[in-house]
Amino acid sequence: MMHQAPTAMTIAEAGPVRGQGFLSLQALTRRYHDFVAVDAVDLDVAKGEFVSLLGPSGCGKTTTLRMIAGLVPASDGRIVVAGRDITAMPTYRRDMGLVFQSYALFPHMTVAGNVAFGLEMRGLPKAEIRTRVAEAIAMVRLDGREDRKPGQLSGGQQQRVALARALVIRPSILLLDEPLSNLDAKLREEMRNEIRDIQRRLGTTAIFVTHDQDEALTMSDRVVVMNHGHIEQIGTPEDLYERPASPFVAAFVGRTNRLEGVQQGATVTVSGLAIEAPIPKSGPVEVLVRPHRVHVAPHGAPPPAGRNRVDGTIRRATYAGNVVQYEIDAGSVTLTAEAATAGIGGLIPVGTAVTAAWAVEDTLVFGRPS
Amino acid sequence: MSATATVAATAGSAADRPAGGGLVVALLLPIALVNLVGFLLPVFNLALISLQEVQASGAMTGGWSTAKWVSVVTDDFYWELLWNTIRTSLGITLATLLVSYPIALYLHRSSGLWRSVLLVMVISPLLLSAVVRTYGWIAILSDQGVVNSVLKAFGAAEPWRLMFNLTGVTIGLTEILMPYMILALVAGFGRLDPRAEEAAATLGASPFRVFRRIVLPLSVPGIALGSLLTFVLAVSSFITPKLLGGGRVFLLATEVYDQAIVTLDWPLAATLSMIVLVVFGIAIAVYGRLVRSIG
């Protein structure tokens, strides 16, 4: 089946046409007795795209990945790669590279032996295996450590070996199952960039499972947010953050203020406060506002921008270097605001009476069951 | 022997560390004493007995003689006995390994209640004495036994000779030694990682190749430990070979028994026992080498 590779722009906006992706999951389902771990998931991924599956533990993201790899059989639905239905194909014929959270290196083989394994399974000539192993090891900057055993490497180095081992076979799809969770924070950031650079350079299609929203946002072309086996939203990192499809997505991707009220026309009433909503409707709603979109100014100072305004006092100020978080007590509600710091003396002291304000377009409103 | 070496080494390093050193020695002392009194001294005594002069009646004169050693080393009968013992024990070890490995792997991979049930099933034969189990095998393997009755019912003219030969001894000892092998294998499967097997599969290894390239090499420590244990137990067992061999299977251990109990030639029995000890020593050395080479 011929499929026009989408340009970067179309990927960023929508992803491939439904059912037409290089990787296409169609109503993919996994049941364990009465429990539905993955519930009719539809997803299309373009060739060369980097897509993250993001969600809390138990949301079905890892099960989805394992079904793509063939390690867990699908209860229902189809997995199609490059137009070919591989749902029933055994793992070892699928030609996918998988990187595990626990690295899963072969402890009895050297670094070179680990990387060579997949090529040996493909029966490639020895000389070619040698060249490609050397290339792959150089790619993950482990030259000179070819003859070490995995046990003699640090966690970051082991994960690089796992990456080289998965990529050296030039897999049709690279699957990454929380590969960075066992690394410390600094190394994690380094590996993020490294994985993304290598993936982009090789043009490998990648599916990345993570529960870390930072990782998902910074690395992915598109992010699939999952919850209870369902897809909550598929979109670019910007989509998810600015236009979350549900309160769950808004809360899971980034922090948010969450207020409950009742909407009538364009106005939401939250315990006596009137908040202007961007789209008129009526009924019980939840109002969500990102803390860093809430601007704060002490009374007397020029009022902050934004048509939605709340008066209150600063109850707590948490200084984090680049930003400061204010907890504002506005009587019936509490709001969190986040402001960039700007030199010494810019902080608003606790107890100060302030006005908090945000733009109508930064107000996210979701209907809620009454 | 190796146990005492370990004790000495540990005690030595403990002396380097002032804090807790006394405790380490205190904790190791009882087992060191038990080993000394219960094992090392008797072995030393055995060596002395093997050098005693003995009359045809079996009475030891109190004089010293290397006659038994000379006769054992120069007599082809004993060399054949030694070779027979090693070959039979290796065969039993291999058979035990082959039938135990799948069970051990299954046990390793099972979990929860089912695992406990399986473990009890594996261990429960040890609650019965080897003598009782051997009689059980006689009931199964003899000419009028279960197997031959079934064969006869299907029209076999002649019963299969499953007893009073090497076949019977091998079948009986294999079953009797299986629990030891299974437990040793399971204990040695610690390096097996289901994720590594999955990784191998994603890299294009068929289930057979996953087994050959990943599972098997990673279970070598368990195989080595189980084989050592089974081999040593096979070499030293004499009740089962005696009952199932019916006096027609000659092994070192049965010969030691005969010389000590029937012929009353204690020096010869002691000499043969020392040879068994040498075989054990070699087996442990081979095991040690293998384990070190894995790293």
Side-chain angles (χ1 to χ4, degrees):
Chain A
M1 191 167 70
M2 281 305 290
H3 168 63
Q4 183 107 36
T7 63
M9 213 41 222
T10 54
I11 290 173
E13 271 167 4
V17 178
R18 184 159 175 184
Q20 301 276 301
F22 174 70
L23 166 68
S24 178
L25 309 183
Q26 297 163 8
L28 192 62
T29 302
R30 174 66 202 183
R31 280 182 290 267
Y32 293 99
H33 306 290
D34 294 340
F35 174 68
V36 185
V38 176
D39 192 2
V41 160
D42 288 301
L43 175 65
D44 283 277
V45 178
K47 204 172 169 73
E49 203 178 4
F50 194 109
V51 171
S52 292
L53 306 183
L54 173 68
S57 57
C59 73
K61 57 192 193 298
T62 294
T63 307
T64 304
L65 188 89
R66 290 172 66 79
M67 281 195 280
I68 299 172
L71 297 171
V72 168
S75 307
D76 247 316
R78 303 202 313 151
I79 304 166
V80 178
V81 174
R84 202 162 152 226
D85 187 334
I86 62 158
T87 317
M89 188 185 274
T91 299
Y92 68 97
R93 296 222 184 90
R94 289 199 182 190
D95 195 32
M96 293 187 187
L98 178 49
V99 178
F100 291 86
Q101 178 177 356
S102 61
Y103 321 133
L105 296 178
F106 309 134
H108 57 304
M109 297 182 198
T110 60
V111 168
N114 267 278
V115 178
F117 187 85
L119 301 175
E120 285 166 11
M121 290 303 115
R122 280 160 178 71
L124 295 184
K126 281 217 159 60
E128 190 185 342
I129 292 180
R130 243 193 320 272
T131 340
R132 278 173 66 174
V133 167
E135 275 171 22
I137 289 175
M139 176 179 76
V140 294
R141 299 185 286 115
L142 282 174
D143 337 41
R145 294 195 174 79
E146 291 86 348
D147 297 326
R148 300 268 181 96
K149 290 276 180 73
Q152 299 166 296
L153 301 176
S154 69
Q157 290 170 336
Q158 288 189 45
Q159 198 51 291
R160 287 214 194 87
V161 176
L163 190 62
R165 182 178 71 175
L167 282 169
V168 75
I169 61 171
R170 295 174 191 155
S172 59
I173 298 170
L174 176 66
L175 304 170
L176 303 127
D177 186 8
E178 309 235 7
L180 308 179
S181 325
N182 284 355
L183 305 177
D184 62 61
K186 196 156 179 278
L187 199 56
R188 197 150 52 207
E189 204 140 318
E190 210 179 292
M191 282 295 288
R192 265 187 212 176
N193 295 331
E194 201 163 329
I195 289 177
R196 197 58 231 263
D197 286 349
I198 291 171
Q199 180 267 340
R200 219 170 265 156
R201 189 146 33 104
L202 301 179
T204 311
T205 309
I207 308 292
F208 183 92
V209 162
T210 181
H211 64 269
D212 181 327
Q213 47 121 351
D214 256 4
E215 255 168 47
L217 291 185
T218 53
M219 293 176 74
S220 321
D221 294 317
R222 284 190 302 149
V223 180
V224 179
V225 181
M226 291 183 74
N227 190 25
H228 296 309
H230 300 276
I231 292 182
E232 290 269 340
Q233 187 174 5
I234 306 177
T236 62
E238 199 185 2
D239 275 341
L240 297 189
Y241 195 79
E242 299 294 348
R243 289 192 291 272
S246 65
F248 174 83
V249 175
F252 200 80
V253 181
R255 276 189 305 270
T256 187
N257 286 295
R258 216 163 163 165
L259 310 168
E260 283 189 0
V262 177
Q263 182 168 4
Q264 286 252 292
T267 308
V268 182
T269 313
V270 179
S271 7
L273 296 170
I275 292 168
E276 194 176 329
I279 301 159
K281 59 181 160 194
S282 60
V285 292
E286 257 184 283
V287 175
L288 280 70
V289 190
R290 302 282 186 199
H292 66 105
R293 297 285 159 82
V294 178
H295 310 289
V296 193
H299 286 165
R307 284 225 299 275
N308 280 323
R309 284 173 186 232
V310 175
D311 286 322
T313 46
I314 304 276
R315 194 161 62 191
R316 184 187 295 161
T318 310
Y319 180 75
N322 56 335
V323 291
V324 56
Q325 265 177 40
Y326 295 113
E327 209 174 286
I328 300 154
D329 183 355
S332 51
V333 299
T334 303
L335 274 179
T336 304
E338 193 175 271
T341 50
I344 292 278
L347 300 185
I348 307 172
V350 172
T352 311
V354 293
T355 302
W358 66 91
V360 173
E361 53 269 28
D362 286 333
T363 313
L364 302 165
V365 181
F366 297 97
R368 68 181 162 92
S370 44
Chain B
M1 297 160 294
S2 67
T4 347
T6 321
V7 169
T10 319
S13 69
D16 299 339
R17 272 176 289 131
L23 182 66
V24 171
V25 171
L27 287 172
L28 288 174
L29 204 58
I31 190 66
L33 283 176
V34 167
N35 256 313
L36 183 71
V37 176
F39 181 68
L40 282 182
L41 288 181
V43 166
F44 182 68
N45 192 35
L46 206 60
L48 288 183
I49 293 174
S50 77
L51 292 168
Q52 293 273 328
E53 199 177 45
V54 69
Q55 291 172 339
S57 64
M60 287 186 267
T61 60
W64 300 101
S65 161
T66 55
K68 294 301 173 189
W69 280 97
V70 171
S71 77
V72 165
V73 171
T74 53
D75 192 337
D76 280 351
F77 171 77
Y78 293 110
W79 282 107
E80 211 184 307
L81 194 63
L82 177 63
W83 171 232
N84 226 354
T85 303
I86 292 174
R87 200 183 41 191
T88 307
S89 300
L90 284 177
I92 289 166
T93 304
L94 185 67
T96 311
L97 177 62
L98 289 179
V99 292
S100 302
Y101 192 92
I103 299 173
L105 199 57
Y106 186 78
L107 187 59
H108 175 75
R109 288 178 178 172
S110 58
S111 58
L113 183 66
W114 182 227
R115 184 187 165 91
S116 310
V117 170
L118 284 173
L119 211 55
V120 168
M121 279 169 67
V122 164
I123 295 171
S124 57
L126 295 176
L127 301 175
L128 279 180
S129 113
V131 181
V132 176
R133 287 158 76 195
T134 303
Y135 277 111
W137 277 111
I138 291 173
I140 293 170
L141 299 176
S142 72
D143 285 1
Q144 290 81 41
V146 176
V147 174
N148 277 313
S149 302
V150 172
L151 287 175
K152 202 172 166 189
F154 279 98
E158 285 286 304
W160 283 9
R161 294 266 172 256
L162 297 172
M163 257 185 67
F164 304 140
N165 56 21
L166 209 54
T167 312
V169 174
T170 305
I171 292 173
L173 269 184
T174 296
E175 187 271 332
I176 283 166
L177 296 177
M178 273 175 69
Y180 302 101
M181 178 65 97
I182 293 172
L183 291 178
L185 284 173
V186 170
F189 281 166
R191 290 217 299 172
L192 283 182
D193 172 12
R195 293 277 177 265
E197 291 171 46
E198 289 178 352
T202 62
L203 293 167
S206 60
F208 174 73
R209 288 167 108 178
V210 171
F211 177 75
R212 221 191 65 65
R213 294 288 309 269
I214 310 295
V215 177
L216 199 56
L218 288 179
S219 47
V220 166
I223 292 174
L225 180 62
S227 298
L228 172 74
L229 205 59
T230 309
F231 177 77
V232 166
L233 289 171
V235 168
S236 57
S237 64
F238 65 93
I239 297 169
T240 306
K242 201 121 186 86
L243 292 174
L244 284 171
R248 293 197 188 92
V249 177
F250 297 99
L251 299 171
L252 267 176
T254 56
E255 188 66 15
V256 169
Y257 179 85
D258 283 346
Q259 292 299 338
I261 306 295
V262 183
T263 323
L264 292 176
D265 189 343
W266 280 29
L268 180 56
T271 308
L272 292 174
S273 296
M274 296 306 291
I275 288 172
V276 172
L277 212 55
V278 171
V279 173
F280 289 172
I282 293 170
I284 288 170
V286 169
Y287 169 77
R289 239 209 148 89
L290 191 68
V291 168
R292 261 196 306 281
S293 76
I294 303 164

